Amino acid sequence: MSERSQRRLPVPTPETQHFWDGTKRGELLLQRCTECDGVHFPPRPFCPACGHREVEAFAATGRGTLYSYVINHTPNPAFDGPYAIAVVQLDEGPRMMTNIVDCEQTPEALELDMPVEVSYLDASDEITLPLFRPAAPVEGPA
Amino acid sequence: MRADHIAVVGAAETTDLGKTPHISQLGMHADAALNALADAGLTIHDIDGVATAGERPTDIAHYLGIVPRWVDGTSVGGCSFMLHVRHAAAAIAAGLCTTVLITHAESGRSRVGTGRGGGGNRSSLPAQFEAPFGSMGPPTMFTIPVLRYMKDHGLTHEQLANVAVVQREWAGMNPRATFQDPITVDDVLDSRMIAYPFHLLECCLVTDGGGALILTAGERADDFAQPPVYVLGHGESVETPMVSQMEDFSSSRAFKVAGTDAFASSGITHADVDHLMVYDAFAHLPLYGLEDLGFCERGEAGDFVWEGNTRPGGSLPMNTNGGGLSYMHSGMYGMYALQESVRQMRGTAAAQVPGAEVSVALGVGGMFAASGCVVFTNQRPD
Ligand SMILES: [Zn+2]
């Protein structure tokens, strides 16, 4: 349970509260512009592609690929040994920083472009963090 | 000479670099400023413009006893001083002030008098969407894009390590460099792992120190104690405070905007550049800089450095003071890159590039968050 208290947890703002409410109930929310269909992250109540002020939140698939990472070897009380700080490429387009769980934290196990899927960590009573774990490749349509 | 040509007429670092617990951060700003004034043959009363980052211009002006009529507190990380040079050039050309002092100092190692900061905002976008995943400062963040670059462009661990090896060669020629003993690629790869794929010797130093510059109109520049170094062109930009959100993990958009504008405003071509400084907080930065400035094609910078082009005697001497990897790195290293460009243009560098007439200094701020680029020359502009 040490993780629950040791991570530096966010304090949501009015513009990001919906995202953190989403992770709490197991949804990874992105936002889509109602004008240009652009999808963006991190959350903001307008479109960074066109400036339109109407955007709608939607639940992402939670699937993506491992885009890049480092394996931090400096001890961190919130983690047990060296750990990867990763960026995943979401299927919907945006990238987000995360950790890769259920996986050895080694260069051999953490293969770039491997498929990953979201896995939630209840880090506190208020905050659930979106982490990712290795996923089986998606099968083509039957 | 065009009225908008500006020159550096004073330049100096703090008296001491490295580990200086006997002096505060503010004290080092003043030490660097007084050294630069002496270098220029000026007094505090000649200064009417103040720019700084890390401290506020108010603190610097008051501490030194300056009455400024122009101030710039642009603070976008380690390249802030490149932006200050650009802003000062515009301000002097516009007649807002005549003589600008730019100061930097940071008690990066000893932390004497560094009260502000501390990252208290847990609601910023980086705090909400990056910090919870265990980032521990620049060694774990600035480095994140590199595996993507390595896979997409075939950069090897040896080529990354070699950047540090070449810079140590330069540092070996600089008596003020923190580390001067030669190292090999194996030494780098055998050094302690900090954040895979980065080893200790691929990460910058953490030291105390500072520097200051004094700029004035180019048409006045012949009246000073030192040979003038003209500011020929410049550029600046910012991209994102979150490294995870940079557009292209193999390229810095801010480098490209700042570099493109610096080359265009100075009217130089790549062949004109005799000396290059690329802010090297970590070993990959010079590779990104070489490509984003257009000295190399995408993915070719590792080979370019491996072939010896940036080492002593090479076609493009780069980071000739030893860089942040071997010379010094207080936290906001951009000032030291500018100081080395000025020394090279004056002909007074420890590892002087013979006959160098054009020097480019490219800075980075934050983790690929910002950039400033300045082109200097010792040749009187038309
Ligand atoms: Zn839009």
Side-chain angles (χ1 to χ4, degrees):
Chain A
M1 294 308 278
S2 65
E3 270 199 341
R4 285 181 75 88
S5 58
Q6 300 277 7
R7 287 181 187 247
R8 281 172 293 154
L9 297 181
V11 175
T13 62
E15 296 83 0
T16 64
Q17 186 66 55
H18 71 277
F19 178 87
W20 297 111
D21 290 345
T23 56
K24 239 173 124 53
R25 55 175 196 267
E27 286 185 338
L28 189 66
L29 295 185
L30 300 175
Q31 287 169 310
R32 183 186 287 116
C33 174
T34 61
E35 180 71 25
C36 76
D37 276 343
V39 176
H40 67 265
F41 175 85
R44 70 210 85 167
F46 56 88
C47 173
C50 77
H52 189 62
R53 297 190 71 148
E54 195 179 322
V55 298
E56 56 190 12
F58 69 99
T61 59
R63 301 187 66 92
T65 54
L66 179 56
Y67 194 67
S68 202
Y69 65 90
V70 294
I71 302 173
N72 180 30
H73 284 248
T74 302
N76 181 330
F79 294 84
D80 187 18
Y83 61 97
I85 305 169
V87 174
V88 298
Q89 169 75 63
L90 299 175
D91 285 356
E92 291 81 5
R95 299 184 191 123
M96 63 171 60
M97 191 168 281
T98 189
N99 301 121
I100 307 298
V101 296
D102 300 338
C103 180
E104 293 270 336
Q105 303 292 290
T106 63
E108 295 72 29
L110 293 160
E111 202 176 329
L112 285 200
D113 301 316
M114 72 180 189
V116 293
E117 62 189 12
V118 71
S119 169
Y120 295 99
L121 171 72
D122 293 328
S124 73
D125 289 342
E126 292 79 31
I127 296 295
T128 295
L129 295 173
L131 308 183
F132 284 77
R133 63 182 172 220
V138 180
E139 300 296 328
Chain B
M1 192 180 327
R2 278 174 22 209
D4 61 347
H5 274 307
I6 306 304
V8 175
V9 296
E13 296 178 353
T14 43
T15 308
D16 299 311
L17 295 176
K19 189 175 181 184
T20 61
H22 61 281
I23 185 168
S24 71
Q25 182 163 297
L26 185 59
M28 286 193 289
H29 275 263
D31 178 52
L34 294 171
N35 286 344
L37 286 163
D39 180 69
L42 293 174
T43 77
I44 275 306
H45 306 294
D46 298 309
I47 301 298
D48 61 358
V50 172
T52 194
E55 297 285 341
R56 292 169 297 202
T58 319
D59 299 56
I60 301 305
H62 167 258
Y63 195 57
L64 282 164
I66 296 169
V67 182
R69 46 179 31 91
W70 175 87
V71 296
D72 180 11
T74 301
S75 187
V76 291
C79 64
S80 298
F81 316 102
M82 281 80 174
L83 278 71
H84 295 157
V85 168
R86 185 174 204 238
H87 301 172
I92 295 167
L96 305 184
C97 55
T98 66
T99 312
V100 171
L101 170 70
I102 304 171
T103 69
H104 155 73
E106 202 161 0
S107 186
R109 177 166 177 172
S110 302
R111 313 299 299 170
V112 179
T114 58
R116 275 197 300 283
N121 182 355
R122 290 166 60 205
S123 291
S124 71
L125 292 180
Q128 289 194 62
F129 298 105
E130 291 192 334
F133 306 106
S135 60
M136 294 179 72
T140 60
M141 299 292 279
F142 221 152
T143 49
I144 279 183
V146 171
L147 282 184
R148 188 76 253 167
Y149 178 106
M150 293 174 84
K151 178 165 183 181
D152 288 352
H153 297 294
L155 180 76
T156 67
H157 292 280
E158 288 76 14
Q159 286 176 317
L160 186 61
N162 182 56
V163 173
V165 172
V166 171
Q167 294 198 193
R168 186 61 66 83
E169 259 192 280
W170 287 110
M173 301 163 72
N174 184 355
R176 261 168 70 96
T178 301
F179 293 131
Q180 299 175 32
D181 294 338
I183 52 174
T184 65
V185 166
D186 284 342
D187 290 336
V188 177
L189 296 178
D190 289 342
S191 66
R192 182 162 57 90
M193 187 65 81
I194 299 296
Y196 173 86
F198 283 80
H199 306 79
L200 180 65
L201 293 178
E202 290 159 320
C203 304
C204 65
L205 302 161
V206 181
T207 52
D208 305 326
L213 295 169
I214 298 170
L215 283 77
T216 194
E219 59 198 11
R220 293 180 60 204
D222 289 334
D223 304 336
F224 291 85
Q226 302 292 341
V229 176
Y230 300 97
V231 177
L232 202 53
H234 32 63
E236 67 185 276
S237 192
V238 295
E239 182 175 353
T240 168
M242 304 172 72
V243 69
S244 63
Q245 301 304 314
M246 65 189 291
E247 281 180 2
D248 181 342
F249 275 35
S250 298
S251 170
S252 163
R253 190 186 78 188
F255 279 5
K256 288 197 286 196
V257 173
T260 298
D261 285 356
F263 274 75
S265 58
S266 60
I268 60 165
T269 67
H270 291 85
D272 294 325
V273 179
D274 303 308
H275 171 251
L276 175 64
M277 297 298 292
V278 178
Y279 190 129
D280 59 322
F282 296 91
H284 59 307
L285 288 170
L287 304 178
Y288 283 61
L290 284 165
E291 294 176 13
D292 290 336
L293 288 178
F295 288 102
C296 300
E297 297 295 322
R298 290 289 292 273
E300 292 186 356
D303 287 335
F304 186 78
V305 175
W306 190 267
E307 289 159 3
N309 288 292
T310 61
R311 63 182 293 269
S315 62
L316 184 61
M318 178 176 71
N319 294 345
T320 49
N321 57 356
L325 295 176
S326 286
Y327 176 55
M328 83 85 66
H329 191 290
S330 56
M332 299 172 80
Y333 169 83
M335 175 58 79
Y336 308 95
L338 293 167
Q339 294 285 337
E340 176 67 5
S341 283
V342 170
R343 286 190 294 262
Q344 288 286 350
M345 293 297 91
R346 288 178 171 182
T348 59
Q352 180 63 41
V353 176
E357 295 183 352
V358 174
S359 174
V360 173
L362 176 70
V364 69
M367 271 68 85
F368 287 119
S371 182
C373 187
V374 180
V375 180
F376 294 103
T377 182
N378 50 22
Q379 302 298 298
R380 193 181 168 83
D382 301 328

